[in-house]
Amino acid sequence: MDVLKKVPVREQDPKVRATNFEEVCLGYNKEEAMEEASRCLNCKNAQCIKGCPVSISIPDFIKEVKEGNFEEAYKVINKSSSLPAVCGRVCPQENQCEGKCIRGIKGEAVSIGKLERFVADWAFENGIKPSVNAEKKNKKVAVIGSGPSGLSCAGDLAKMGYDVTVFEALHELGGVLVYGIPEFRLPKEKVVKKEIENVKALGVKFEKNTIIGKSFTIDELIDKYGFEAVFIGSGAGLPKFMGIPGENANGVFSANEYLTRSNLMKAFKESETPIMIGKKVVVVGGGNVAMDAARTALRLGSEVHIVYRRSEEELPARVEEVHHAKEEGIIFNLLTNPVEILSDENGWVSGIKCIRMELGEPDESGRRSPIEVPGSEFEIECDAVIMSLGTSPNPLISSTTKGLEINRRKCIVVKEENGETSKEGVFAGGDAVTGAATVILAMGAGRTAAKGIDEYLSSKGN
């Protein structure tokens, strides 16, 4: 065994997986997991924990995996994470825990994410459930949204003994885990539904088809229904567009709509939900959502181009997702920016006009700003365009809640140390606060708010 190299992870063949929605990565078996765990140096001053937004005790769980104590490893993870099977699949570990792994200085970092996934999947297969040891508190807390921040907050509060009810606007639980992330990255029956069942096992109650701001307001939750605290984890589901000519043509989608039709409404199967299957699709954007939309369109039978205005080094998507997209045959048009969407006489997309870009000086984020190259316009023929330019929070909740401060981006303003908003007893976290970000950052915000809610309610007494 070469301790400087990761134990390879089995994956579906690219040519095969490009034609199906089965999970791409097949994960470790017991022997592979134990071998990979043996690469961990079990550092006393573990930098990997500092890189984890939910502060999992990583060396401790890996030590248990190394010794074959998988149930103990699950218990260690479960102290910090309510969604380990999700995190093991979609977290950007390369920039977080694995990015700080000491083993990675002179070799490849330990596959922390793949080990977390293995432990969570083993727990599913062996019927291991999280447990609540805290004494029950006679205090009701409402959680708005059943995405990663809401589930994490609800799970932590339930472990503390609170009576928690989660309100979900859609007919399925899971938020972005269900409607945003494709089946081939995050299986719904095998993973998401089981993670939610584990949260239910902690005593959390769920109410679906309930739109806060329409069904009832946050003020009503507190004043009429007796909730002593509220957590807003409603995400950021409002898509952004470029505002270029032709953007209203038939065949232009937001990535949000496209992925929701496929993931939540099962349009990729025999379904009453229509989804356009273009012969040639252009996806505008370079983040994880753009990769998800592009790889979904590919599996539906389209030739797919990704158009992104910066270079490959600036792509915000995970390296693993870009690698998988390339393997599957997606074409990358980098340093390219759309300027107009073209349409035929019937108003349907017929192409997209673009201009070449070059990189100038760094912007506020540290990335080099793209600059247009004069006279470099060209056209890409296509019959569908998917815009993946980020999302912002839906203003429904903020506009129907008295005293809730928002910023110019329509995001809810919070105290960073505990997630408390400008309205007493109301906390918030995840994309509703930051705008579109990662699953694990939303989970970290949910955990932070749970601590803040506990401190707030404890200070109020009985």
Side-chain angles (χ1 to χ4, degrees):
M1 174 186 174
D2 184 354
V3 295
L4 298 181
K5 295 280 188 180
K6 293 180 178 182
V7 174
V9 181
R10 290 163 289 118
E11 295 178 344
Q12 275 200 78
D13 179 86
K15 290 181 181 178
V16 174
R17 71 182 190 237
T19 64
N20 67 51
F21 279 80
E22 302 297 319
E23 192 169 12
V24 169
C25 179
L26 304 178
Y28 285 143
N29 59 29
K30 291 180 184 179
E31 292 73 25
E32 290 165 341
M34 291 172 70
E35 184 178 342
E36 179 62 21
S38 70
R39 298 181 59 239
C40 177
L41 299 171
N42 202 22
C43 308
K44 289 183 179 179
N45 182 21
Q47 297 301 305
C48 54
I49 300 176
K50 297 176 183 177
C52 175
V54 295
S55 302
I56 293 171
S57 185
I58 293 168
D60 289 342
F61 103 74
I62 291 180
K63 179 175 179 288
E64 299 295 351
V65 173
K66 176 183 174 182
E67 295 173 2
N69 300 326
F70 306 135
E71 184 172 354
E72 291 304 314
Y74 178 73
K75 289 177 181 177
V76 172
I77 295 172
N78 193 251
K79 289 176 183 176
S80 304
S81 174
S82 296
L83 307 171
V86 170
C87 289
R89 286 168 165 84
V90 303
C91 276
Q93 291 101 2
E94 64 275 11
N95 298 325
Q96 294 176 162
C97 52
E98 293 180 20
K100 294 187 178 293
C101 176
I102 301 301
R103 172 63 78 191
I105 294 174
K106 291 187 177 180
E108 294 180 348
V110 175
S111 287
I112 298 168
K114 297 296 187 292
L115 290 175
E116 181 181 13
R117 167 192 165 145
F118 165 78
V119 171
D121 287 357
W122 182 91
F124 286 154
E125 292 163 10
N126 290 274
I128 308 300
K129 296 278 187 182
S131 57
V132 179
N133 299 317
E135 187 177 329
K136 291 289 183 184
K137 296 180 173 72
N138 189 27
K139 293 186 178 183
K140 291 169 61 178
V141 180
V143 171
I144 301 170
S146 65
S149 63
L151 291 173
S152 292
C153 184
D156 277 16
L157 288 168
K159 290 172 187 174
M160 296 174 193
Y162 289 100
D163 180 356
V164 185
T165 302
V166 177
F167 296 93
E168 169 57 49
L170 296 176
H171 63 286
E172 289 281 351
L173 301 174
V176 71
L177 305 176
V178 168
Y179 72 73
I181 304 177
E183 191 78 11
F184 55 82
R185 278 220 294 141
L186 187 62
K188 308 303 174 254
E189 293 289 337
K190 177 184 172 184
V191 176
V192 179
K193 287 192 175 180
K194 288 183 178 179
E195 294 276 47
I196 292 170
E197 288 302 315
N198 280 349
V199 176
K200 286 181 179 177
L202 296 171
V204 176
K205 298 183 285 290
F206 289 86
E207 295 287 342
K208 296 184 283 190
N209 299 307
T210 306
I211 303 173
I212 302 301
K214 283 193 174 181
S215 303
F216 34 77
T217 65
I218 286 177
D219 295 295
E220 287 174 326
L221 285 175
I222 296 169
D223 299 335
K224 187 176 178 180
Y225 296 101
F227 288 96
E228 297 187 51
V230 176
F231 172 73
I232 304 171
S234 51
L238 196 63
K240 297 177 182 176
F241 288 87
M242 293 186 71
I244 59 176
E247 214 165 29
N248 291 326
N250 296 322
V252 178
F253 298 86
S254 70
N256 222 30
E257 178 190 355
Y258 192 83
L259 289 169
T260 299
R261 284 177 181 271
S262 178
N263 300 334
L264 183 65
M265 312 303 289
K266 306 302 180 188
F268 67 88
K269 297 182 178 179
E270 290 184 13
S271 168
E272 295 178 2
T273 303
I275 190 168
M276 182 174 177
I277 301 174
K279 291 180 181 177
K280 191 170 180 179
V281 174
V282 170
V283 178
V284 180
N288 289 324
V289 176
M291 299 303 140
D292 287 345
R295 296 172 71 197
T296 295
L298 181 84
R299 283 160 171 76
L300 291 172
S302 306
E303 177 188 314
V304 184
H305 289 245
I306 283 179
V307 169
Y308 181 62
R309 62 185 185 147
R310 289 183 165 97
S311 70
E312 184 165 346
E313 287 70 31
E314 283 82 25
L315 279 168
R318 291 186 67 190
V319 171
E320 181 180 64
E321 301 307 317
V322 175
H323 171 67
H324 283 159
K326 285 183 174 181
E327 279 189 328
E328 291 164 8
I330 286 167
I331 301 157
F332 283 73
N333 295 88
L334 302 173
L335 289 168
T336 302
N337 203 40
V339 293
E340 183 181 357
I341 295 173
L342 310 172
S343 56
D344 62 21
E345 63 276 9
N346 297 315
W348 285 91
V349 171
S350 62
I352 186 166
K353 184 185 287 186
C354 301
I355 190 167
R356 304 284 184 196
M357 310 294 284
E358 59 185 12
L359 295 178
E361 295 301 313
D363 61 15
E364 292 177 1
S365 69
R367 293 189 299 173
R368 293 168 65 194
S369 300
I371 302 167
E372 292 184 355
V373 177
S376 63
E377 291 89 351
F378 69 102
E379 295 178 8
I380 301 174
E381 285 187 16
C382 62
D383 51 5
V385 175
I386 302 171
M387 292 290 185
S388 181
L389 307 167
T391 54
S392 59
N394 189 312
L396 179 62
I397 288 175
S398 58
S399 66
T400 58
T401 307
K402 297 174 185 174
L404 190 65
E405 183 185 350
I406 58 172
N407 61 23
R408 59 181 179 82
R409 296 187 298 130
K410 309 297 183 186
C411 295
I412 298 168
V413 176
V414 302
K415 295 179 181 178
E416 289 185 18
E417 64 271 17
N418 67 356
E420 188 177 1
T421 70
S422 57
K423 186 176 179 67
E424 185 183 351
V426 177
F427 295 71
D431 292 3
V433 169
T434 61
T438 62
V439 167
I440 189 63
L441 288 175
M443 288 178 61
R447 295 204 74 208
T448 296
K451 291 177 186 174
I453 289 169
D454 180 48
E455 289 166 2
Y456 167 75
L457 293 177
S458 297
S459 70
K460 288 181 69 177
N462 294 323

